[in-house]
Amino acid sequence: MGIFANIFTWWNGSTFGTWVGLRGKEQVGEDSLGNLYFQGGADMHGRPRRWVIYKGSNDSSRVPPEWFSWLHHQIDDVPDRALPPLRKWEQPAVPNLTGTALAYRPAGALEKGGKRVAATGDYEAWTPGA
């Protein structure tokens, strides 16, 4: 597919039109996942417009929390300068795993064999008029 996929499909990453639209915009940073962040122009409230170009598939859960804050104008400067350094107990953000083999599946889910623990007897069903 090559160049045609880049022109016509948005779900595989940014399209050719997106890159043309980013001409003249300033690249302000890159996160640990390889996503690129741009800023330029102004929105209808006078704030600078901000974009993310995903490395790989377009999935908003792949934006780390600190860059999410920057994209949504919760912080003014890029995260490296605006936020304190990570603490040793903080863990890296995890993308949304729904629909993947790593998604959470509770006991009793068909993917885990479909067997649940038997009820303990502490449940009493409601019956009308009782």
Side-chain angles (χ1 to χ4, degrees), residues 4 25 33 43 53 56 59 70 78 82 85 92 96-97 103 106 113 123 126:
F4 291 111
K25 309 301 189 257
L33 299 173
D43 66 7
I53 302 298
D59 180 6
W70 179 80
V78 293
N96 184 354
L97 300 174
Y123 174 77
W126 175 81

Side-chain angles (χ1 to χ4, degrees), residues 31-101:
D31 64 22
S32 59
L33 299 173
N35 299 327
L36 302 175
Y37 297 89
F38 293 86
Q39 178 171 283
D43 66 7
M44 62 187 203
H45 301 293
R47 298 178 303 188
R49 294 212 50 203
R50 296 173 174 175
W51 293 269
V52 59
I53 302 298
Y54 300 102
K55 181 175 182 175
S57 64
N58 293 337
D59 180 6
S60 60
S61 73
R62 295 179 57 233
V63 174
E66 60 273 10
W67 281 102
F68 178 90
S69 298
W70 179 80
L71 282 170
H72 293 272
H73 300 279
Q74 295 171 343
I75 58 175
D76 292 327
D77 207 355
V78 293
D80 297 339
R81 294 188 295 258
L83 298 176
L86 290 177
R87 297 187 173 99
K88 62 182 177 181
W89 47 264
E90 290 182 286
Q91 295 182 354
V94 178
N96 184 354
L97 300 174
T98 301
T100 70

